[in-house]
Amino acid sequence: MKRTDIVDLVGSDKTNVKVNAKGWVRTKRQSKNVAFIALNDGSTIRNLQVVADVAVIGVDVLAKINTGASVSVDGILVESAGSGQANELRAENIEVLGVADPDTYPLQAKRHSLEFLREKAHLRFRTATFSAITRIRHAMIFGVHKFFNDRGFYNIHTPIITGSDAEGAGEMFRVSVLDPKTPPLDEQGNVDYSFDFFGKETNLTVSGQLEAELAALAMTKVYTFGPTFRAENSNTSRHLAEFWMIEPEVAFADIHDNMDLAENMLKFLVRYVLDNCREDIEFLDKRLKDEEMHKKAQDRSPMNLIERLEFVLAEKFERITYTEAIEVLRNSNYNKKKKFIYPIEDWGADLQSEHERYLVEKHYNKPVIITDYPKDIKAFYMKQNDDGKTVRAMDVLFPQIGEIIGGSQREEEYDKLLMRIEEMKIPIESMWWFIETRQFGTVPHSGFGLGFERLMLFVTGMGNIRDVIPFPRTPQNAEF
Ligand code: 4AD
Ligand code: MG
């Protein structure tokens, strides 16, 4: 018999129909005459209740059905006598596809810690929390493409292996086929990458932006959505060494157009998840409430998950300059009472996530976009302001997350860009093609990068970025 997805069975209003369901056993409760099996196939947060008469299915078969086992059930979908569900599957025949020994299967019916589940990432898709996150991640990917497709953007695949450092921060993973024991050396004793696969030093990309700019300077509206890699040693709950980034790039657009696009996109995506993932969001909302209950009262978030999502939709994001942000922070009670780990003293300091969250959660009480940062703390490609001190950067700050988007208007003037590249000692030979676009038909243009996992953290209410990507890569960890 043909298998039906469990989402269609639990949502069906048909009764007394013969169906087949396949999936993995979440729990089994058995009395003398009857067993109740909660079955899930990943298609929904809800489990299908399978009711198995011991006399019909047999004690031997039921003995093999434990948490984690995979089964195929033929039976009749009937109205449920129990209260937890509208219908249930009265089993006529159960085939055990794969057993799971209860003594060694790592996932038990009880709740496991997220830390424990990270060690079991090969199995954690089988938990309610991770299946919900997986479905939401899919919906968000789809929503991103829909947002851009509906607005006439073209998706560009930018290279993953690259010879340039887009952010100029030097935090890259080398890609090489040279023998690490006996690499060819040049006269100065340095590794001679002209013998390497590409005939030069190459790395995994930190951003698709530079190539997206090339495409935007012909196609006008483009975006990339690809994996990016950063060899920064940041062991925080917001950093991954491998993460996915969405990077739109738009010609004939200034920083204000850029802010509008960022705000519209974030609101679209938050609306999208509320509209399309309601059951999973409600489940995660409840999960977050349970988690918050275990925290000390002063550490509890004032908002539940659905409130957080609606908070973002409610108002226009606050738009301020870096200089204004520094003033607010410097004069804040937090700063005066030394509640910041990094006290705010002088103009020019980079903002830490504690400052970003203060602005969003305590001061403005809405998402904040900060523009016009000091040029010394931002990348070489950002448009320089006339003050000689700041650049047309923009960071979008969210509650709980801090920076969710980083972007800018780009420096489109050839001389100014070249000056900046020289000042920052960036090797021009790896970047000639980027600079050349400023010599031929240059135009004002802007773009930004949205960290997909930061967005996922926000929409799921999870606290650690390792739990919103299936297989996280972090310092000292590349298991699975
Ligand atoms: O601010 P970033 O470094 O900006 C860029 O890479 C630009 N080239 C983007 C552009 O203008 N096209 O990174 C952009 C976003 C951050 O705001 C953050 O959300 C995310 O990427 N991000 C990370 N997410 C997870 N782990 C990390 N290590 C991240 N680093 C940045
Ligand atoms: Mg940034």
Side-chain angles (χ1 to χ4, degrees):
M1 204 180 178
K2 207 167 168 291
R3 187 186 66 83
T4 304
D5 285 340
I6 287 178
V7 65
D8 295 325
L9 295 176
V10 294
S12 171
D13 49 16
K14 288 201 199 110
T15 46
N16 299 320
V17 284
K18 231 178 131 80
V19 298
N20 170 269
K22 292 182 172 67
W24 292 266
V25 175
R26 286 278 171 83
T27 56
K28 184 186 74 169
R29 287 181 289 127
Q30 190 170 338
S31 62
K32 193 155 155 277
N33 299 323
V34 63
F36 295 96
I37 301 162
L39 197 65
N40 194 286
D41 65 358
S43 61
T44 164
I45 193 76
R46 285 185 275 170
N47 297 324
L48 176 67
Q49 164 142 294
V50 175
V51 184
D53 275 337
V54 176
V56 177
I57 303 303
V59 273
D60 295 352
V61 171
L62 285 171
K64 286 194 244 164
I65 300 176
N66 295 299
T67 296
S70 48
V71 295
S72 171
V73 186
D74 289 316
I76 313 274
L77 200 61
V78 296
E79 214 170 291
S80 179
S83 61
Q85 58 284 316
N87 60 14
E88 60 193 23
L89 183 57
R90 197 152 279 280
E92 292 181 332
N93 183 46
I94 302 183
E95 184 188 348
V96 178
L97 302 173
V99 294
D101 182 343
D103 293 334
T104 52
Y105 184 61
L107 305 185
Q108 295 307 320
K110 64 164 191 164
R111 173 173 284 211
H112 293 288
S113 76
L114 295 169
E115 289 80 7
F116 173 82
L117 291 174
R118 263 172 237 152
E119 316 261 295
K120 309 287 174 206
H122 57 309
L123 296 170
R124 69 178 176 170
F125 291 107
R126 296 185 187 185
T127 64
T129 298
F130 285 94
S131 71
I133 291 168
T134 303
R135 282 185 296 275
I136 291 173
R137 198 175 156 105
H138 167 81
M140 284 284 95
I141 295 168
F142 199 82
V144 165
H145 287 298
K146 177 166 170 53
F147 176 83
F148 287 117
N149 187 58
D150 287 354
R151 286 158 186 76
F153 283 67
Y154 299 106
N155 180 227
I156 307 293
H157 286 150
T158 49
I160 289 168
I161 300 174
T162 165
S164 56
D165 181 355
E167 290 303 299
E171 293 171 330
M172 297 189 294
F173 290 102
R174 181 168 297 131
V175 175
S176 174
V177 295
L178 295 178
D179 182 347
K181 277 200 222 104
T182 53
L185 301 177
D186 64 15
E187 279 157 13
Q188 287 84 46
N190 297 320
V191 175
D192 188 346
Y193 288 105
S194 67
F195 289 97
D196 208 342
F197 189 90
F198 296 105
K200 62 173 187 173
E201 197 175 339
T202 50
N203 295 286
L204 294 179
T205 190
V206 295
S207 158
Q209 177 193 326
L210 301 190
E211 290 87 354
E213 282 193 47
L214 312 180
L217 293 172
M219 310 295 292
T220 304
K221 289 183 288 185
V222 303
Y223 72 105
T224 73
F225 188 171
T228 50
F229 308 87
R230 298 200 181 174
E232 54 186 337
N233 203 356
S234 306
N235 234 326
T236 79
S237 58
R238 291 180 187 74
H239 287 85
L240 289 165
E242 176 180 291
F243 63 99
W244 290 71
M245 194 164 23
I246 298 137
E247 296 181 273
E249 195 66 37
V250 183
F252 317 111
D254 66 11
I255 190 78
H256 303 287
D257 302 316
N258 210 30
M259 286 191 274
D260 291 343
L261 182 66
E263 182 166 344
N264 289 341
M265 177 174 83
L266 287 168
K267 285 181 169 162
F268 174 91
L269 291 171
V270 168
R271 197 43 312 134
Y272 194 84
V273 77
L274 281 169
D275 289 349
N276 292 280
C277 307
R278 198 72 204 188
E279 282 187 338
D280 288 325
I281 291 290
E282 278 165 7
F283 171 82
L284 291 172
D285 188 63
K286 192 169 165 298
R287 194 204 73 84
L288 187 64
K289 270 184 206 135
D290 293 348
E291 196 182 80
E292 294 271 315
M293 289 307 285
H294 291 101
K295 288 187 186 164
K296 287 196 223 106
Q298 74 260 31
D299 295 338
R300 275 182 213 150
S301 163
M303 279 185 269
N304 68 33
L305 177 59
I306 293 173
E307 283 165 352
R308 283 181 201 178
L309 298 180
E310 277 160 3
F311 168 84
V312 162
L313 297 176
E315 279 184 83
K316 196 166 155 36
F317 298 178
E318 188 72 32
R319 299 178 182 192
I320 59 170
T321 65
Y322 168 87
T323 304
E324 288 166 336
I326 288 289
E327 277 315 298
V328 168
L329 290 167
R330 202 190 345 236
N331 297 324
S332 66
N333 273 336
Y334 260 56
N335 202 45
K336 289 180 185 150
K337 292 190 181 150
K338 306 217 178 325
K339 280 206 210 161
F340 289 132
I341 300 168
Y342 297 91
I344 293 284
E345 277 149 23
D346 301 318
W347 190 94
D350 209 351
L351 300 182
Q352 306 295 325
S353 85
E354 56 174 348
H355 307 131
E356 298 172 337
R357 291 188 56 181
Y358 175 86
L359 291 169
V360 173
E361 294 164 32
K362 300 267 188 297
H363 190 79
Y364 291 105
N365 207 27
K366 56 176 117 153
V368 175
I369 310 182
I370 302 184
T371 58
D372 302 288
Y373 282 81
K375 65 176 185 188
D376 295 337
I377 57 171
K378 289 291 179 186
F380 69 94
Y381 50 71
M382 297 189 179
K383 179 148 188 72
Q384 297 157 58
N385 284 322
D386 294 337
D387 63 9
K389 285 184 350 196
T390 58
V391 287
R392 305 239 88 181
M394 64 167 222
D395 278 6
V396 181
L397 315 179
F398 257 34
Q400 251 71 41
I401 310 293
E403 178 189 340
I404 195 164
I405 280 181
S408 75
Q409 186 167 336
R410 315 308 189 188
E411 185 54 81
E412 86 281 18
E413 289 180 59
Y414 176 79
D415 295 338
K416 286 192 180 164
L417 180 63
L418 207 61
M419 218 175 65
R420 210 58 198 125
I421 287 179
E422 279 166 2
E423 255 172 40
M424 295 175 91
K425 299 196 170 54
I426 293 163
I428 291 189
E429 56 296 353
S430 70
M431 217 75 91
W432 63 270
W433 40 270
F434 183 73
I435 306 163
E436 200 174 285
T437 55
R438 274 59 172 173
Q439 289 181 301
F440 305 120
T442 191
V443 297
H445 62 287
S446 300
F448 60 81
L450 166 64
F452 186 59
E453 285 75 20
R454 299 250 175 115
L455 174 71
M456 282 296 299
L457 271 181
F458 182 70
V459 299
T460 59
M462 299 298 287
N464 193 311
I465 201 161
R466 292 166 179 79
D467 297 329
V468 295
I469 186 167
F471 304 106
R473 265 69 185 116
T474 51
Q476 301 299 311
N477 174 36
E479 197 64 54
F480 309 105

